[in-house]
Amino acid sequence: MDGEHEAGSRELAVFGGVAVQSSQPSDQAVVAVLRDGVERVVGHCLGVDLTWTTTAVVASDDLSTGNADIGRPGIDWDFALGRGEPLVSVTATATAMEGYDWHPKWLPVTVRATMPVTVPHGRGDGGGLVVGLSMHSWALYGGGDDLIRVADVLTSWLLDAADRLGADTGYTTLDRVSAEDDQSPWERVTGCLPALRDVTQTLWGYGWGTLLSPVHVEAVGGRAVLESLREVLPAVDLRDVGGGRTWLTLGPDPASIRPGDVAALRHMLAPALPRGTLSVDRPGGEQLVV
């Protein structure tokens, strides 16, 4: 993560998400992916009691007043799809520490979609659609000791989401990151603005698992370059998945990744990573980890 941003206030979390710009999935498809994340991933990985809240925001909501009717207790997908306008964002947040919103452990799970919106001086789609799911390590069964099983479940959901939504890219990571964020850790540490994001050409982020489109594979130099990463990291696995995409993982266990592994991956992916206003080589920037 970015060593300069919220390092002391965030919990270590398992995150998975996809970014979409070259297709326009319906609100119904997006909400179906969120529902699957709750049922297929959270339901099989979390070992703590959860109290859910569902939030759905549309363009006409005036959030500045605090009076907008945007939330419901529990998981209420019908509410999310019944707002009467295209959705801007949908969040299903588990509030296991209800009443302690100041505490870092307050939101052990967040499942969120942020929809494309018109942004002045941006691409026009506000960085496209991003869908993410994050789970605090401490809240997982066994306190997060078995991340291999968690990674398998999360990967299955992420790749299914990529197929259903026509995603351009995505990633999974073990980091101090939340699905509440629109920015990936890479975007935060390098100052890349979501409004200027173009995942049809560059990656959204990277991590233990990275989803690359054919355009991204070509940008790094082709499949042979991806294969060459095994010379440094023998556990690297490459899978051809739906839509001509490539799913790259750094071994079976996200918890076993070392900073040197991250540096090797980042070096290989550099031609496909967006460039921001800040250098990852600045003091603190090198602490980006996955």
Side-chain angles (χ1 to χ4, degrees):
M1 68 164 285
D2 179 357
E4 297 179 351
H5 288 72
E6 304 178 9
S9 62
R10 293 209 169 195
E11 289 291 314
L12 193 65
V14 178
F15 170 88
V18 297
V20 186
Q21 273 182 307
S22 59
S23 64
Q24 295 181 322
S26 66
D27 287 353
Q28 288 79 4
V30 173
V31 170
V33 166
L34 296 176
R35 180 189 295 115
D36 277 358
V38 171
E39 296 175 356
R40 292 172 50 186
V41 183
V42 177
H44 288 81
C45 295
L46 266 288
V48 298
D49 292 333
L50 300 172
T51 300
W52 288 91
T53 300
T54 303
T55 302
V57 179
V58 297
S60 65
D61 288 324
D62 183 356
L63 302 182
S64 65
T65 66
N67 297 322
D69 183 20
I70 62 172
R72 291 291 184 274
I75 298 175
D76 193 339
W77 303 118
D78 289 337
F79 167 70
L81 288 173
R83 291 299 317 277
E85 299 177 47
L87 294 166
V88 174
S89 66
V90 181
T91 306
T93 305
T95 54
M97 299 184 66
E98 194 169 8
Y100 293 88
D101 56 356
W102 50 268
H103 198 283
K105 288 184 169 63
W106 174 48
L107 300 177
V109 183
T110 300
V111 184
R112 178 180 174 89
T114 303
M115 311 296 185
V117 293
T118 301
V119 177
H121 313 298
R123 280 177 39 86
D125 56 15
L129 162 71
V130 294
V131 178
L133 185 159
S134 60
M135 303 177 290
H136 287 178
S137 293
W138 67 265
L140 300 170
Y141 286 117
D145 289 339
D146 181 12
L147 289 188
I148 295 178
R149 184 181 68 85
V150 173
D152 287 344
V153 175
L154 185 61
T155 294
S156 176
W157 169 78
L158 185 149
L159 295 180
D160 282 351
D163 285 339
R164 294 169 72 174
L165 303 178
D168 296 278
T169 184
Y171 70 98
T172 60
T173 186
L174 175 64
D175 202 342
R176 301 188 186 280
V177 64
S178 169
E180 288 184 289
D181 302 324
D182 190 19
Q183 287 180 298
S184 67
W186 171 259
E187 289 176 328
R188 284 205 315 275
V189 82
T190 57
C192 295
L193 298 177
L196 301 179
R197 180 189 298 137
D198 184 3
V199 294
T200 67
Q201 300 298 316
T202 57
L203 296 168
W204 176 32
Y206 65 91
W208 166 81
T210 306
L211 185 65
L212 301 94
S213 74
V215 172
H216 303 138
V217 173
E218 182 179 358
V220 302
R223 180 65 177 246
V225 172
L226 299 180
E227 298 277 0
S228 70
L229 190 59
R230 291 198 180 104
E231 298 173 7
V232 182
L233 305 173
V236 163
D237 183 57
L238 293 170
R239 289 170 52 189
D240 295 323
V241 293
R245 307 176 192 91
T246 299
W247 178 241
L248 183 157
T249 54
L250 302 180
D253 186 358
S256 68
I257 306 305
R258 303 165 298 179
D261 302 337
V262 178
L265 175 66
R266 181 168 62 240
H267 178 75
M268 184 201 68
L269 294 178
L273 289 171
R275 296 184 180 182
T277 57
L278 302 173
S279 171
V280 73
D281 297 320
R282 75 188 190 281
E286 73 280 359
Q287 295 181 37
L288 182 75
V289 300
V290 295

